[in-house]
Amino acid sequence: MNAAAVQRLERYFQQIGEVLGEESRRGSFALYAMGLLGEGERKSVEPIAARACPDPERVDAMHQRLLHFAVDSRWSDREVRRQAARYALEAMTRRESVEAWIVDDTGFLKQGKHSVGVQRQYTGSAGKVANCQIGVSLSVATRTEHLPLDFELYLPECWANDEARRREARIPAEVSFQTKPQLALRMIERAVEDGVAPGVLLADSAYGNSSDFRARLRALGLHYAVAVAAQTGVRLLDAKGRPRKDAQSVSDLAWRIHERGGFRRCTWRQGTQDALSARFALRRVVAAGVPQREQEPLTLLIEWRDGEPEPANYFLISLPEGRTKRQLIRLVMQRWRTERVYEDLKGELGLDHYEGRRYPGWHHHVSVALCCYAFLVAERTRRFPPSARRAAEAHAQPLSA
């Protein structure tokens, strides 16, 4: 890190410190953040303390200090994350506008049964059911950059409704069981309240299947482009934009389109080796099974990949007509960029290295990781001029480059 970057980091830490308040808290944050930004293989509290303290006889005191900061110190995750987001978004939006908000979730693999929220559950991180915690995230994306704003820990009912577990994990009284879409909406509502530049909300079918989730997004003034399950019911619009009477599943509709040769190939991006393409079909529909007052014209986008026996994905898109098929395809494909963000957060910043068992500690650790990521994204954005070629090269580099 060059001298100018070091000065920017110091100013950034000062901004976060103004939110944290107490001087001891500011110092602990800086030590913790530098531990995540550093080269150590493990980035949980104990190894961070060991690396931060050259005197072996004082390592235990440093460990206790950082543990207190992570678990017991009362500071606002929301305010710290909001300050970090503002810092990074200022740099990002100086070059490009926000295009998308992205909701997703990731697993934090665990060995035991005592970490807050842990149970055997499916996680895409492992591609199977595993013993893990699940974190739901909200990110924002420009054409070339991707910034995670917020995280919420999913609490299964066996944790949310167990008083003994709640006491042991220090789960706040106001925190109750919420589904993953409900957690996502909490973060989205906070982002709207904080004035984050709006984008089209992208999410997989775990969120897009919920008509309540989609309706709430529209009530907040956001458009969406979300995946839905194959059995989702829709009604086609006729030439005058009126819904036809008969509802059908998006899967049945896809097969009818396929039988008539209605799928067309589209390439949306050049990959590292080959162009990324598949066959797609578009239809204007309304969602079936929702009150008529909540119905609005939607675009159904269907993706059928080469060599697959059936469509891979179905997307409902609330944007008004006017975008081309390629533009819509490129938009929905941005959701997969979140996987790269998770890899960076875990592999380079120790997002999933926290070994504590309590609810406040998990959120505080994640907050510091988000602060570190925000600074690195801002640095990367400043380093490269706003040309399409250079910006694309910057996105392809590892986060720490």
Side-chain angles (χ1 to χ4, degrees):
M1 191 179 294
N2 61 37
V6 170
Q7 289 180 348
R8 287 192 293 270
L9 181 62
E10 290 175 352
R11 289 196 296 270
Y12 177 60
F13 280 3
Q14 288 172 0
Q15 292 173 16
I16 300 295
E18 290 173 3
V19 176
L20 290 168
E22 292 180 5
E23 189 64 34
S24 62
R25 221 177 266 160
R26 298 181 183 207
S28 295
F29 168 82
L31 288 166
Y32 205 118
M34 292 306 295
L36 298 187
L37 288 165
E39 296 295 329
E41 184 176 344
R42 283 299 298 175
K43 298 186 176 181
S44 55
V45 174
E46 189 170 0
I48 289 175
R51 290 193 295 271
C53 191
D55 183 353
E57 294 185 359
R58 302 191 63 183
V59 169
D60 185 63
M62 178 65 73
H63 180 212
Q64 293 304 316
R65 174 183 178 177
L66 294 181
L67 198 61
H68 172 79
F69 172 76
V71 179
D72 300 316
S73 185
R74 295 180 179 275
W75 49 273
S76 168
D77 290 293
R78 180 181 180 186
E79 290 180 10
V80 165
R81 295 176 187 185
R82 178 166 49 198
Q83 181 61 44
R86 285 174 177 167
Y87 180 86
L89 282 169
E90 181 182 358
M92 290 167 61
T93 56
R94 199 176 295 147
R95 186 173 76 184
E96 301 166 315
S97 61
V98 169
E99 290 189 351
W101 292 13
I102 305 172
V103 166
D104 209 339
D105 52 72
T106 187
F108 296 69
L109 300 179
K110 295 293 179 181
Q111 295 294 326
K113 300 179 180 179
H114 300 287
S115 295
V116 58
V118 73
Q119 71 168 6
R120 288 189 59 78
Q121 53 195 324
Y122 178 81
T123 169
S125 305
K128 62 181 181 181
V129 173
N131 193 62
C132 65
Q133 300 163 310
I134 297 291
V136 180
S137 72
L138 173 66
S139 306
V140 296
T142 65
R143 180 85 182 225
T144 61
E145 292 296 344
H146 192 126
L147 177 72
L149 298 180
D150 212 350
F151 259 94
E152 285 284 354
L153 178 66
Y154 170 68
L155 286 179
E157 291 185 82
C158 63
W159 278 89
N161 299 331
D162 186 318
E163 288 303 320
R165 276 183 151 182
R166 291 181 65 96
R167 285 193 300 272
E168 178 64 23
R170 299 188 191 173
I171 299 171
E174 66 272 16
V175 174
S176 60
F177 171 74
Q178 289 189 299
T179 64
K180 292 170 190 174
Q182 288 170 334
L183 291 174
L185 284 172
R186 277 180 57 184
M187 293 186 288
I188 292 165
E189 288 166 355
R190 288 199 292 256
V192 170
E193 183 179 332
D194 291 344
V196 176
V200 181
L201 194 288
L202 312 180
D204 66 23
S205 59
Y207 304 88
N209 284 339
S210 169
S211 58
D212 290 340
F213 179 79
R214 301 195 305 265
R216 181 58 183 153
L217 292 176
R218 296 298 292 124
L220 289 168
L222 297 173
H223 280 290
Y224 58 78
V226 295
V228 293
Q231 63 268 28
T232 301
V234 296
R235 291 192 290 160
L236 280 168
L237 299 182
D238 62 22
K240 295 184 177 181
R242 298 172 301 194
R244 297 178 182 175
K245 292 183 178 181
D246 296 333
Q248 58 188 313
S249 70
V250 292
S251 176
D252 287 345
L253 177 56
W255 279 103
R256 290 189 176 94
I257 296 170
H258 174 67
E259 290 167 359
R260 297 168 186 166
F263 279 83
R264 296 289 182 269
R265 180 166 300 282
C266 183
T267 299
W268 65 90
R269 186 167 66 85
Q270 182 64 43
T272 54
Q273 295 181 339
D274 301 310
L276 302 180
S277 69
R279 293 181 299 132
F280 294 88
L282 289 177
R283 292 294 186 273
R284 292 291 284 175
V285 301
V286 295
V290 299
Q292 187 172 359
R293 67 180 181 278
E294 295 179 10
Q295 290 182 354
E296 65 174 331
L298 304 171
T299 297
L300 171 65
L301 173 65
I302 308 169
E303 177 192 8
W304 200 318
R305 298 174 184 171
D306 294 341
E308 296 292 331
E310 59 187 15
N313 289 294
Y314 306 88
F315 303 93
L316 287 179
I317 303 170
S318 67
L319 290 165
E321 292 183 283
R323 299 199 186 195
T324 66
K325 181 192 292 188
R326 187 187 300 271
Q327 288 173 329
L328 294 176
I329 293 168
R330 189 185 66 78
L331 174 66
V332 300
M333 293 303 172
Q334 288 195 55
R335 182 170 63 81
W336 280 272
R337 292 166 61 186
T338 308
E339 293 303 320
R340 173 61 183 273
V341 172
Y342 290 154
E343 290 174 9
D344 284 342
L345 279 165
K346 293 178 179 181
E348 299 188 34
L349 296 176
L351 180 73
D352 59 343
H353 291 191
Y354 182 68
E355 295 174 353
R357 297 177 176 181
R358 293 182 170 87
Y359 186 93
W362 187 92
H363 282 85
H364 281 357
H365 174 81
V366 169
S367 293
V368 181
L370 292 178
C371 287
C372 293
Y373 196 99
F375 177 78
L376 293 174
V377 168
E379 284 297 294
R380 184 170 62 196
T381 302
R382 291 188 179 97
R383 190 181 305 148
F384 293 90
S387 70
R389 179 179 66 82
R390 294 291 298 279
E393 290 173 355
H395 184 67
Q397 293 179 10
L399 182 64
S400 58

